[in-house]
Amino acid sequence: MKPHIKEIIVVEGRDDITAVKAAVDAEVVAVNGFSVGKNIEKVKAAYERKGIVVLTDPDFAGLKIRDYIQKRFPEAKHAYINRAEGTKNGDIGVENASPEAIIKALEKARCESSEKREVFKPEILIEHRLTGYPDSKTLREKLGKVLGIGYSNGKQLLSKLNRYDISMEEFLEAVKKVNEK
């Protein structure tokens, strides 16, 4: 039996809807990529009715669409599929992810914090080799997967750690898992 998601999942396109519905029992709305502005009323209705989980492609376009939605609906949850899980034959997208990867991403969905926090500072990224080292990119990729926040460069990672209310304990546990692999 597929897991049930109470919020409405917001994706980019029709193929994403098919992939998500194969993984979970949920209502899914597509914004049709960069036509998100034309479809924002659909997203608003979903947000007001049940709440939304944004699940966009792990690429530049997906990030821009996610940011556009976040600015308008600050209490939206965000779920991330990493690039490796969302890539098939050189094509990147939610539609390429396995049902297991989609379920895992939705289970780790997070809402941005309403208050500005600065728990994490650049020094902690350096201390844990997440920036400034030849393997930093790989470590950030793995950390993003463990925490369910997607891939980020160093500056984006700091922002996400603070925005998504990730505790220092959760961060250190995730770093430990990344270093064990």
Side-chain angles (χ1 to χ4, degrees), residues 16-75:
D16 298 335
I17 290 175
T18 303
V20 170
K21 285 192 171 272
V24 296
D25 172 28
E27 196 174 332
V28 187
V29 170
V31 296
N32 301 318
F34 280 124
S35 296
V36 63
K38 293 177 186 169
N39 294 290
I40 206 69
E41 287 304 315
K42 257 195 305 191
V43 177
K44 182 180 180 192
Y47 181 76
E48 290 172 350
R49 193 160 47 92
K50 288 187 170 183
I52 60 173
V53 178
V54 180
L55 180 64
T56 56
D57 296 349
D59 59 10
F60 181 77
L63 179 64
K64 288 295 173 201
I65 293 164
R66 182 183 297 278
D67 288 346
Y68 182 87
I69 294 170
Q70 176 60 33
K71 283 183 179 112
R72 282 146 187 84
F73 309 106
E75 302 205 8

Side-chain angles (χ1 to χ4, degrees), residues 71-105:
K71 283 183 179 112
R72 282 146 187 84
F73 309 106
E75 302 205 8
K77 287 184 180 177
H78 294 270
Y80 292 85
I81 297 215
N82 71 41
R83 287 180 88 81
E85 291 170 330
T87 302
K88 188 196 260 174
N89 301 325
D91 180 43
I92 298 173
V94 170
E95 73 273 10
N96 298 318
S98 69
E100 296 77 25
I102 291 170
I103 291 167
K104 193 169 56 171

